[in-house]
Amino acid sequence: MKNSLLLLLLFPIFLLGQKKEAVYKKLANLTCDCSKNKGKDKKLSEADLGICIFESLDKLDEKERKTINYDPDKKMESVEKIAESVGLEMAIICPTIISAMSEEEPPKVIEDQPTIANTIKGNIGSMVANDLKFIYIIDDNHLKKEFLWLDTFYGDSLFIKGKAAVGDTIEIKYVEKNYFDPKANSYRKYNVITAVKLL
């Protein structure tokens, strides 16, 4: 007796579940057809898929909408749960559309622009070492220019061994690079030494 009563209680829930599944399948079929049309000339986006789901929902009758708790006046609120169920059905009905959407394009590698080396000739004005080492050159126009010693470079032994001193004429090759200056709390362009030659 108890089992019969339980079956009678569960039967409407079972029927409702079957009805819901049938509506989701219908929606998935309609959405698959719409997606195929939209994806003919371009890659289907999530926005396109969303539009197709809304268009498919509009094709349901009142009874079918009630079965899946869809309220056309509150589209955004009721469509989230529906979209998930439709997506699962679509994965079975039109898996190629779903897999094509999930395939991400390989990330574009932004190649570093080739760094152009500049050359300057002048006399060593001074060499200053704080946290970093700077070499100041007085060029032919009597302008003082700052150069950053950041890495090893060709000719660095001239400074390490003391063969280049203030007043000597040198040729410096350098590249312009932006580095963060903590004192100024902003990025700053530095002339980074790449090679030095004593003239």
Side-chain angles (χ1 to χ4, degrees), residues 15-184:
L15 280 178
L16 181 66
Q18 279 194 318
K19 282 180 186 175
K20 269 190 178 183
E21 194 177 328
V23 176
Y24 286 135
K25 277 183 181 172
K26 181 181 177 179
L27 259 176
N29 277 307
L30 290 167
T31 308
C32 282
D33 292 341
C34 173
S35 300
K36 281 172 192 170
N37 291 331
K38 283 196 186 293
K40 275 180 185 175
D41 304 319
K42 58 170 186 155
K43 186 179 175 182
L44 193 75
S45 68
E46 282 185 24
D48 293 327
L49 183 63
I51 291 164
C52 281
I53 290 172
F54 280 121
E55 285 177 9
S56 301
L57 283 164
D58 289 338
K59 291 176 183 176
L60 297 180
D61 61 37
E62 193 64 35
K63 198 175 179 182
E64 289 170 328
R65 287 177 187 173
K66 278 185 180 177
T67 304
I68 58 169
N69 300 320
Y70 174 62
D71 183 356
D73 297 325
K74 295 178 181 176
K75 283 185 177 180
M76 294 312 291
E77 290 174 28
S78 53
V79 83
E80 282 184 32
K81 289 178 184 176
I82 293 166
E84 193 177 315
S85 299
V86 171
L88 291 169
E89 291 293 339
M90 283 179 74
I92 299 163
I93 297 164
C94 51
T96 51
I97 289 169
I98 300 297
S99 63
M101 280 186 70
S102 62
E103 282 174 14
E104 290 183 10
E105 288 181 15
K108 290 179 182 175
V109 178
I110 300 168
E111 293 181 12
D112 289 338
Q113 293 294 320
T115 310
I116 299 163
N118 301 299
T119 304
I120 188 171
K121 292 177 186 177
N123 297 321
I124 300 171
S126 60
M127 291 182 267
V128 179
N130 296 321
D131 293 333
L132 298 168
K133 179 109 178 187
F134 291 95
I135 296 167
Y136 294 89
I137 301 295
I138 311 294
D139 68 10
D140 294 337
N141 298 320
H142 304 288
L143 296 171
K144 191 176 186 179
K145 297 201 175 177
E146 180 187 72
F147 298 89
L148 174 61
W149 180 346
L150 192 63
D151 295 308
T152 56
F153 56 84
Y154 176 79
D156 60 2
S157 61
L158 292 170
F159 296 111
I160 294 167
K161 294 180 180 176
K163 291 180 180 177
V166 173
D168 287 343
T169 304
I170 61 168
E171 180 183 87
I172 289 186
K173 285 190 178 178
Y174 66 97
V175 291
E176 293 179 348
K177 290 196 175 184
N178 283 323
Y179 290 110
F180 187 74
D181 183 348
K183 288 179 184 174

